Amino acid sequence: MEVTGNINMLKGIGVALLSSMMLSSCGLINDYESDCPVQLRVKLVYDYNMKFVDAFQSEVTSVNVWAFDTATGQRVWQASASGEELLMENGFVIETPLEAGSYDFVAWCGLEGNTSFDLSTYEPQSRTDLEVTLNTIESGDLNISDSELSGLYHGEVLEYTFAPVFNQSTIEDVTIPLTKDTNSIKVLLQNMDGAELNSADFSMSITDANSLLAWNNSVLPGPTVTYEPWITSYGVIGDTETPTRAVTTVSALLSEFSMSRLIDGQECWLTVTRHTDGKDIIHIPVIEYLLLIKGHYGNMTDQEYLDRQDDYSMTFILDDSSNWNVSAGIYINSWAVVPPQNEEGI
């Protein structure tokens, strides 16, 4: 009797331990299913900029994101968000219903209310359907863009494997880094002899075939876009020198361009034409010149610099004949550089 009693007591202890283990395993039930929380979430980050800090909440106004099954290429999930939704105190994330598997994620951000760009479809059958086109105005043989472009951002993560462990709680974030695809380029003409400059004396344009962006943010073959300034301003700066108090005036003409993504190796030309005789006083490859100062911003590839930097300025000094004074060089983002030998430069 004593032996039997001890065995029964051990059986009771075993049952209690098993029950405790079942409770600690997220409520394991008899049919071997688990109610442990399993969640794959999407997080977007925009730190691919010259400040190297996440500017997602301060810059991105809307989000569209899609998930495709890596094996089949078919869309399995999509979501969108905008406005106050993006300003969550603990960071913006999107919960997904995705189960274990391998997925390709594509994001286009800034499209809501954006009249500058059009997405080919919001219901893609595959990721290759997600192309974005810059809206232009047809004028004769030209495709013109002369407005300030709304911010556009792209992101992708390919072959992301979500593999939660059975009977274990899994809350996992897939982080999609964003690249900004819109750029501001300011072109300043300065006349150092004080002679007046005004917009009627010159015209400026930038040409680039970068109006069509693929799902992976590459530039697809398309028409050449003629970018014209979305705003032009004129000013005269007075510089007082001591002790003679002599005043030197500098006349300046500033034109601001807003452009789609800049690609290393792409044909992109700035042309400044003098109206008095129709002569092009400046004709330079923009991207080649912008990259002249890349070394001042750390060690990065040419394309990384073009993607991180989204605000450029180029200053040209004119002589008393309203020609570009090449010997005075060019100032790019306030850095003085000597132009490369280029027969088409002037």
Side-chain angles (χ1 to χ4, degrees), residues 4-37:
T4 303
N6 289 338
I7 291 175
N8 290 334
M9 181 175 66
L10 290 173
K11 287 182 178 179
I13 294 173
V15 170
L17 287 173
L18 179 60
S19 299
S20 176
M21 290 173 63
M22 290 173 66
L23 290 174
S24 66
S25 299
C26 306
L28 187 64
I29 57 179
N30 292 335
D31 59 3
Y32 298 102
E33 291 182 357
S34 171
D35 61 359
C36 294

Side-chain angles (χ1 to χ4, degrees), residues 285-321:
V286 174
I287 293 174
E288 180 180 332
Y289 272 61
L290 295 180
L291 290 174
L292 290 175
I293 63 166
K294 183 196 69 172
H296 294 291
Y297 295 94
N299 184 22
M300 61 183 77
T301 67
D302 290 350
Q303 190 58 53
E304 180 181 352
Y305 174 72
L306 293 172
D307 285 335
R308 283 186 179 274
Q309 182 69 270
D310 68 337
D311 191 8
Y312 305 90
S313 64
M314 307 178 76
T315 301
F316 301 88
I317 309 302
L318 304 186
D319 61 22
D320 55 8
S321 298

Side-chain angles (χ1 to χ4, degrees), residues 24-26 34-39 163-171:
S24 66
S25 299
C26 306
S34 171
D35 61 359
C36 294
V38 173
Q39 182 77 68
V165 178
F166 178 74
N167 210 35
Q168 289 188 14
S169 176
T170 304
I171 299 178

